[in-house]
Amino acid sequence: MTPFRYSRATDVADAIRQSGDCNTRYLGGGTNLVDLMRETVERPEALVDVSGLSRDIEELPDGGLLIGAGVRNTALAEHRSVRTRYPALSRAILAGASAQIRNMATVGGNLLQRTRCAYFYDDDGSRCNKRLPGQGCDALEGFNRNHAILGASPSCVAVHPSDMAVALAALDGVVHLHGARGERSFPVADLHRLPGDRPDVDTLLEPGELITAIELPPLPFAARSTYRKVRDRSSYAFALVSVAALLDVEDGRIRDVRIALGGVAHKPWRAFKAEEVLRGGPPRAAAFTAAADAELADAKPLAGNGFKIELARRTIAAVLGELAGETA
Amino acid sequence: MTITVNGAAVSLPNDPRVSLLDLLREDLHLPGTKKGCNQGACGACTVLVDGERILSCLALAVQFEGRSVTTIEGLGMPGALHPLQAAFVEHDGFQCGYCTPGQICSAIGMAEEIRRGVPSHVTSDLSSETIALSRDELRERMSGNLCRCGAHNGIIDAIAETFAPKTALAEAAE
Ligand SMILES: Cc1cc2nc3c(=O)[nH]c(=O)nc-3n(C[C@H](O)[C@H](O)[C@H](O)COP(=O)(O)OP(=O)(O)OC[C@H]3O[C@@H](n4cnc5c(N)ncnc54)[C@H](O)[C@@H]3O)c2cc1C
Ligand code: FES
Ligand code: FES
């Protein structure tokens, strides 16, 4: 680990003031950043600890929920309103990492955790455009079983590893940011970028911008939502493919639907095409498969991950089937 | 700047790079907490901070200023074992013992999570206030602690006997 200064932010304004220098990083639970610093993938000169800020979950007058960026993953998953009104979010968090890590990890840090691509981690042995732009990508021709099938580029085929972010993307979550130039907010589904020729830039955040909260809109049909994660072990493993979905069925028609996929792209992948196919149609198995096919029509396999296309197709159909069964 | 370890206030390191794990083992000479992977994957370094289980390898010691850490040494020592330590001995919950301090700290943190009603990945009804303690629940909740000797069955037996005696009895009778 390269040496760094450590300080604690007393409030949001203090955090932003302290982050003036570009080589300063915010610290949440540290479960990803400390690991990457030890591997010398990240070498900040200063850490500003923001894990003590924004630790509340607030019920909003419109029926939504405002989740502070410093809320621990366990606290969010166990929150009564989340469990009953947005169960896909509880399920997604509980499907990730281990209990110890969820006790440490913050909401902000979880969203901004970096890819688990082994070549990204291997600072002294591999080439990676995300770690060192222009260096090349060893995953393209290497071990790419875990890599992207959607939205990848010749520079980067890494996937975003967060489970929580996939549920937030499906639930129309909105991320609130504070920076030197003021406040702004946009959908969680837009927070992360596709790699293009700048895979070193994961998100739309500007240097020094702080995530202060995530807002969940009131979405009554989210009470019928779930998250399914397919992985190599039944616990404590990253997703090969995951699906978060909400389904609103009335009078034998799909009135509304939200679907997001994990493990398939550089960002939590909101399946807008599949949603479009489903809206207004019957909640039947054939429609679910047709929707999955529409979403995956552009999927491109690498040498090692072709299985993910069929896996995603079946998992989407199975999750929608499960939700439809519940509403029947 | 201090941190409390097993009841005693100690100074935090000057170098913020020192992990909580290295503070415990190297500076405070408390070698019970183990370094397995040093990257969050094995659970051998699990300790309790204000009663919550965390991984001391992924934490910088300075992050825990003012907090209270309990390690395996603070739970029980030879002659005055914690009931869970005694149950591990009774049920062959270990072979080499390397993962054991982490397993025990983790299980104690887990018991508190269950008391609070925290659901897990295998909890079928998220809206339920109480957790039905099956072996599947215990296994899932302990999945962050690996044991390379494969003592998991004994580990789960020891935990079930200590924290969910009825579950253990029900399954033994099956
Ligand atoms: C063994 C292991 C297994 C795991 N398995 C899974 C899994 O299955 N699924 C899953 O989803 N995750 C998994 N994880 C990852 C884990 O969820 C993340 O490490 C964790 O959520 C990161 O949160 P943190 O608060 O510790 O972030 P930190 O490590 O503190 O920070 C991560 C990044 O976010 C930035 N940051 C933090 N807070 C803010 C803020 N408020 N504003 C702006 N920037 C901020 C930091 O600068 C840093 O770049 C696993 C981790 C490990 C070690
Ligand atoms: S040493 Fe901390 S998890 Fe392995
Ligand atoms: S007893 Fe040897 S690693 Fe668990």
Side-chain angles (χ1 to χ4, degrees):
Chain A
M1 230 188 264
T2 48
F4 58 88
R5 297 186 308 279
Y6 169 91
S7 63
R8 266 187 218 200
T10 51
D11 56 29
V12 169
D14 181 46
I16 291 163
R17 205 176 316 113
Q18 291 200 46
S19 78
D21 163 8
C22 287
N23 212 356
T24 298
R25 300 296 294 276
Y26 293 125
L27 180 68
T31 60
N32 189 223
L33 187 53
V34 169
D35 192 22
L36 288 169
M37 286 166 62
R38 199 171 275 145
E39 301 293 333
T40 63
V41 174
E42 304 256 23
R43 305 167 195 218
E45 284 161 29
L47 292 183
V48 177
D49 190 337
V50 294
S51 65
L53 309 182
S54 343
R55 293 192 64 166
D56 297 328
I57 302 176
E58 200 185 316
E59 305 273 353
L60 296 174
D62 68 358
L65 222 50
L66 190 68
I67 302 156
V71 170
R72 297 303 189 270
N73 286 191
T74 305
L76 184 55
E78 76 173 299
H79 193 271
R80 192 125 289 278
S81 296
V82 177
R83 283 156 73 170
T84 53
R85 282 156 49 199
Y86 306 96
L89 181 55
S90 277
R91 292 247 176 252
I93 293 169
L94 295 170
S98 67
Q100 289 97 313
I101 294 171
R102 296 191 295 268
N103 283 341
M104 305 168 79
T106 61
V107 167
N110 187 320
L111 271 180
L112 296 184
Q113 62 173 296
R114 309 208 64 194
T115 185
R116 307 301 290 203
C117 173
Y119 302 105
F120 171 70
Y121 259 78
D122 184 18
D123 185 33
D124 33 45
S126 309
R127 294 177 309 154
C128 171
N129 288 321
K130 187 181 277 300
R131 187 162 26 74
L132 193 63
Q135 193 185 31
C137 167
D138 276 339
L140 270 181
E141 305 291 329
F143 183 76
N144 50 34
R145 181 170 179 272
N146 297 323
H147 290 68
I149 52 172
L150 288 165
S153 77
S155 326
C156 182
V157 291
V159 297
H160 193 262
S162 168
D163 292 294
M164 183 194 78
V166 177
L168 289 175
L171 292 164
D172 286 341
V174 170
V175 54
H176 291 286
L177 306 173
H178 276 241
R181 285 191 278 160
E183 297 176 33
R184 55 182 187 140
S185 52
F186 43 75
V188 172
D190 296 341
L191 173 67
H192 297 86
R193 301 173 60 252
L194 287 179
D197 55 8
R198 287 301 305 276
D200 53 313
V201 186
D202 286 354
T203 68
L204 298 181
L205 248 67
E206 285 173 9
E209 245 180 335
L210 178 74
I211 299 183
T212 53
I214 307 295
E215 185 173 341
L216 288 178
L219 207 56
F221 76 102
R224 287 243 160 84
S225 66
T226 195
Y227 185 77
R228 192 181 294 192
K229 178 175 181 181
V230 186
R231 42 185 163 171
D232 286 328
R233 295 189 297 267
S234 59
S235 189
Y236 208 13
F238 288 94
L240 291 167
V241 164
S242 70
V243 176
L246 306 61
L247 190 68
D248 186 11
V249 176
E250 200 182 62
D251 300 332
R253 296 271 145 199
I254 296 172
R255 192 162 61 172
D256 209 349
V257 58
R258 306 270 190 284
I259 305 167
L261 311 178
V264 296
H266 197 252
K267 58 185 291 185
W269 188 269
R270 180 73 182 261
F272 289 113
K273 287 181 195 155
E275 293 174 12
E276 196 53 46
V277 168
L278 290 167
R279 255 182 220 112
R284 299 276 171 273
F288 300 152
T289 307
D293 285 339
E295 192 63 48
L296 296 165
D298 297 333
K300 288 196 187 58
L302 299 161
N305 71 357
F307 73 97
K308 279 194 180 185
I309 299 179
E310 183 60 20
L311 189 60
R313 183 170 174 267
R314 293 189 198 189
T315 311
I316 294 169
V319 167
L320 292 171
E322 179 191 325
L323 291 172
E326 262 188 50
T327 53
Chain B
M1 294 221 303
T2 62
I3 179 173
T4 302
V5 177
N6 297 333
V10 297
S11 315
L12 282 165
N14 292 321
D15 188 338
R17 286 179 293 180
V18 177
S19 67
L20 180 58
L21 177 58
D22 285 342
L23 174 78
L24 296 170
R25 290 181 55 89
E26 310 294 331
D27 297 0
L28 303 178
H29 308 293
L30 293 169
T33 309
K34 298 294 185 250
K35 187 183 277 189
C37 64
N38 214 28
Q39 52 186 18
C42 75
C45 66
T46 304
V47 297
L48 298 163
V49 175
D50 297 325
E52 280 203 334
R53 49 177 169 166
I54 62 134
L55 299 178
S56 60
C57 73
L58 289 185
L60 302 172
V62 287
Q63 286 173 273
F64 293 91
E65 187 198 341
R67 310 281 298 276
S68 178
V69 180
T70 305
T71 69
I72 191 72
E73 289 92 344
L75 287 172
M77 292 297 271
L81 294 184
H82 185 281
L84 184 58
Q85 288 173 316
F88 264 65
V89 175
E90 174 71 17
H91 289 278
D92 291 330
F94 54 88
Q95 284 182 38
C96 77
Y98 200 78
C99 71
T100 315
Q103 300 276 4
I104 290 176
C105 288
S106 184
I108 289 171
M110 178 201 69
E112 172 56 24
E113 289 159 12
I114 289 170
R115 199 198 53 73
R116 217 163 72 210
V118 179
S120 86
H121 172 62
V122 300
T123 307
S124 49
D125 180 7
L126 280 186
S127 63
S128 169
E129 308 254 343
T130 54
I131 306 295
L133 257 201
S134 63
R135 287 181 85 84
D136 277 354
E137 279 283 0
L138 294 179
R139 280 203 197 90
E140 163 60 25
R141 288 167 189 272
M142 291 298 295
S143 73
N145 292 84
L146 308 189
C147 172
R148 64 187 172 175
C149 298
H152 296 95
N153 287 336
I155 292 169
I156 297 298
D157 286 343
I159 295 172
E161 182 190 82
T162 308
F163 295 120
K166 285 196 213 99
T167 315
L169 286 179
E171 296 207 7
E174 270 170 21

